[in-house]
Amino acid sequence: MKCRKCPALVTNRNKIVFGAGNIRAQLVFVGEAPGRDEDLQGIPFVGRAGQLLTKIIEAMGMTRREVFICNVLKCRPPQNRPPAPDEVIHCRPYLKEQLRLIAPKIIVALGNHACQALLSTDKGISQLRGSLQEYEGIPVMCTYHPAYLLRNPSEKRKVWEDMKKVIQLLNTPDV
Ligand code: URA
């Protein structure tokens, strides 16, 4: 993949961070965009927020290799600024295709940008958090981004409540 659709991201990036994990995963985590560490390594969620996400996945009884992890944007925005609306539009076909190919049982959307990109809504995370939404027939659990949890550790409890619902859904036999 040598995408050049977003001029500001092409000149700034070291590596495209497409995604990592099991392409047959039942569970996909979608974050916002790569940060510095991710851009250098080409792997999503390997910095501080990523280490917390790894802990969350492990607390759910899984490993990073079992799930799939990706972001709305595949390239790091300069200075970690939020994704620009046109960048989300440019990058959405990649996310869409990833989710179509993996066809997970459930998606966890981490933070505002992931929720809004997947659900095409302008509702904020505080409104969406904890509720099961839907993307192309796949349930989406909206929850807080691990970077937010690093700043607000007392909110971890809510994310754990959300992850318990995700585990329950994963354990529900297909009908
Ligand atoms: N934050 C994200 O949203 N994604 C990453 O890959 C790393 C940090």
Side-chain angles (χ1 to χ4, degrees):
M1 183 169 132
K2 264 265 180 280
C3 181
R4 307 200 146 265
K5 288 194 258 182
C6 305
L9 306 190
V10 171
T11 50
N12 183 62
R13 75 179 174 215
N14 284 294
K15 289 200 171 147
I16 295 171
V17 184
F18 198 60
N22 181 358
I23 53 162
R24 292 189 178 79
Q26 291 211 312
L27 175 57
V28 172
F29 289 87
V30 180
E32 179 177 318
R36 195 180 69 97
D37 298 307
E38 291 78 17
D39 172 67
L40 290 172
Q41 293 187 42
I43 304 169
F45 281 100
V46 288
R48 274 186 72 224
Q51 285 159 22
L52 180 52
L53 178 62
T54 303
K55 277 194 192 165
I56 293 170
I57 293 167
E58 287 170 356
M60 294 170 78
M62 287 181 281
T63 64
R64 281 178 66 114
R65 290 163 62 99
E66 270 178 87
V67 302
F68 193 83
I69 305 173
C70 61
N71 286 300
V72 173
L73 293 193
K74 310 307 184 201
C75 299
R76 181 193 183 199
Q79 279 84 47
N80 295 344
R81 64 153 169 74
D86 62 326
E87 292 165 354
V88 175
I89 291 169
H90 290 157
C91 220
R92 195 183 272 136
Y94 299 122
L95 179 61
K96 202 170 170 202
E97 189 62 4
Q98 285 178 308
L99 294 171
R100 188 185 71 76
L101 291 169
I102 299 170
K105 196 164 172 178
I106 182 161
I107 299 166
V108 173
L110 300 165
N112 247 334
H113 287 277
C115 296
Q116 291 175 348
L118 283 171
L119 306 175
S120 301
T121 178
D122 49 17
K123 280 190 191 155
I125 184 69
S126 46
Q127 241 180 304
L128 293 168
R129 200 226 105 238
S131 63
L132 270 181
Q133 306 288 326
E134 206 178 286
Y135 166 84
E136 311 239 329
I138 304 169
V140 177
M141 173 58 79
C142 293
T143 197
Y144 291 137
H145 192 286
Y148 172 80
L149 296 181
L150 290 174
R151 298 190 300 271
N152 302 276
S154 60
E155 301 284 58
K156 284 183 189 170
R157 191 182 300 270
K158 291 184 191 158
V159 172
W160 184 237
E161 290 306 313
D162 301 341
M163 292 309 103
K164 283 198 286 196
K165 288 188 204 161
V166 170
I167 297 167
Q168 216 172 45
L169 220 143
L170 286 171
N171 289 335
T172 308
D174 295 321
V175 279

